[in-house]
Amino acid sequence: MEKKFVVGVDVGGQTTKIGVVDQKGEVLAQTVIRSDTYGADAEAFLDALAESIGVCIRSAGKEGQVKGVGVGAPNGNYYTGEVSFAPNLAWAANQSVKFADILSDKLGGLPVTLTNDANAAAMGEMAYGAARGMKNFIMITLGTGVGSGIIIDGKMVYGHDGFAGELGHTTVLRDGRQCGCGKKGCLEAYCSAIGIVRTAREWLDGTDEPSALRSIENFSSKDIYDAAKAGDALALRVFEYTGNILGRSFADFVAFSAPEAIVLFGGLARAREFLYEPMLNAMNDNLLKIWRGKVKILFSQLKESDAAILGASALAWD
Amino acid sequence: MEKKFVVGVDVGGQTTKIGVVDQKGEVLAQTVIRSDTYGADAEAFLDALAESIGVCIRSAGKEGQVKGVGVGAPNGNYYTGEVSFAPNLAWAANQSVKFADILSDKLGGLPVTLTNDANAAAMGEMAYGAARGMKNFIMITLGTGVGSGIIIDGKMVYGHDGFAGELGHTTVLRDGRQCGCGKKGCLEAYCSAIGIVRTAREWLDGTDEPSALRSIENFSSKDIYDAAKAGDALALRVFEYTGNILGRSFADFVAFSAPEAIVLFGGLARAREFLYEPMLNAMNDNLLKIWRGKVKILFSQLKESDAAILGASALAWD
């Protein structure tokens, strides 16, 4: 019998989502387990994961019809199938875990394919979302950090070692803001959820400009969005500044792989109304003439609740 | 009979080099024609080129044994086979020339494959040079301008439109030096032969620092190299500065495609002794930890007189 279903697993710092997916990208059954209650015991986590995958397949009524399991995990390496030194996963924070091999063993040999979360998002967008039918695009995930997945000629770019696509750590400002990675001036230090809070904080601290944000202790990127929605001038300028930096970076990415589109996903991408124009203008202003006006900036078309599972599941089709 | 030979054609602004090449990268016969004596008449140039290719094949004694012709040309597009709006080629400066199709017709249907000169250099390095056996590397050509050819998973990256790999026009300094392309702060504005002359000129004009370069009217990049060789402090610092910018850019390129190596070619790459250390240090200082100390910077291993022909010829093997 042809196997027409796949399982997608999205490993996050607190929870891991599991779903059974069909060829159209419908999630037929899903479940969630904790990722953070196993301490350093990777084996125990993988036991629980394998069991829940089994339960999920049975509850979808698809026993024996699953082609494989695709996993998106922080610091997941496609070539080695390992999750290595992922700071937010206690069981992989100080070691390399042979995630794909161990999970496949526990699932009776079902093929398991692993990659990082941003690559999984790109695969999902290509299989079921905004990039369907595209062979050349770049996925940028704007979340707590900035991740990326690069598709060239219909294939995910993994590079020599499996770690390609770390565009959040390209430099946007020489000797700029300190980034969590240890470098200075990274895109992620400006254009992540954390980055825009830093921008707003710097501007509030450096001026007397009135802003609704002044009354919120420890405001979040969501608070900046809400303030912008309400017409707060400073909050609006924060998005303009952020969109400008993103657009400039996109122009550099286009010079690399000449994609048809840049596709955005993640919490910050919800601020489309404030980011889109400054992004598009800054990108076009910094592109060579051959590309000006020709490269699209698109937003994910996957339902946010399903997107991570769908992205991971897309890996299992190949 | 298996066809064991290919022809490489390197189209330059003044001359066009033609060579018959075997599988080991030996140039068995070669000839040169002018590129700049045909005005806007592309047809006349292509007639002369086809005739010389025929002569070259006959003088190598390989009639009927040639598999195809590979052409490297400014603004050459692999997908369309066209040379379009190439400022330095009078017959293609104001039009798109269906170079590959027309040349193939004139050669009785022999397959003709076209790409730009930097991509051709990358193909040559992979087939016969420093990148033999590599599947992921980035070629940077440091000449009058800065060109690039990107190899991922053993394949040249052409992108959606055939124009991928314009790394000379990624931004190294926001609102920096004016580049010939119309943008500001491009890598090419700093790290080309013209760029380093601009750097030296700016520093000479901005200070009273003594330098051997002060006595040379309209000095060239070669003069800066000679001055550095002779121990001129300013000239040495120009190379250090240039190497630093290159290394920072390489770090961004690594974050994109995780290559095994960056391979350098072109006139400026001859200043290896002055560029290598600042490049390598700046690259490693700006890489994520996963790549630090692991990415090689290599120099072309092709004989400079043959390199352009070899690079173009490598296209014809596929």
Side-chain angles (χ1 to χ4, degrees), chain A residues 9-16 35 45 71-77 81-93 95 97 99 114-120 163 166:
Chain A
V9 175
D10 174 57
V11 180
Q14 296 177 308
T15 62
T16 291
S35 318
F45 170 73
V71 181
N75 289 21
N77 187 300
E82 294 176 340
V83 175
S84 308
F85 306 104
N88 298 323
L89 300 169
W91 42 266
Q95 60 181 341
V97 177
F99 197 103
L114 175 81
T115 192
N116 72 38
D117 24 10
N119 285 349
F163 292 116
E166 285 289 353

Side-chain angles (χ1 to χ4, degrees), chain A residues 150 152 159-161 163-167 169-171 174 181 183 244 248 252 255-258 260 286 288 291, chain B residues 150 152 159-161 163-167 169-171 174 181 183 244 248 252 255-258 260 286 288 291:
Chain A
I150 302 158
I152 292 178
H160 178 56
D161 56 9
F163 292 116
E166 285 289 353
L167 300 183
H169 299 285
T170 53
T171 303
R174 193 170 161 155
C181 75
K183 292 171 51 187
N244 183 280
R248 286 172 178 267
D252 284 348
F256 201 100
S257 68
E260 183 175 351
N286 287 278
L288 288 179
W291 289 308
Chain B
I150 302 159
I152 292 179
H160 179 56
D161 56 9
F163 291 116
E166 284 289 354
L167 300 184
H169 299 286
T170 54
T171 303
R174 193 171 161 155
C181 75
K183 294 171 50 188
N244 183 279
R248 285 171 178 269
D252 284 349
F256 201 100
S257 67
E260 184 176 350
N286 287 279
L288 288 179
W291 289 309

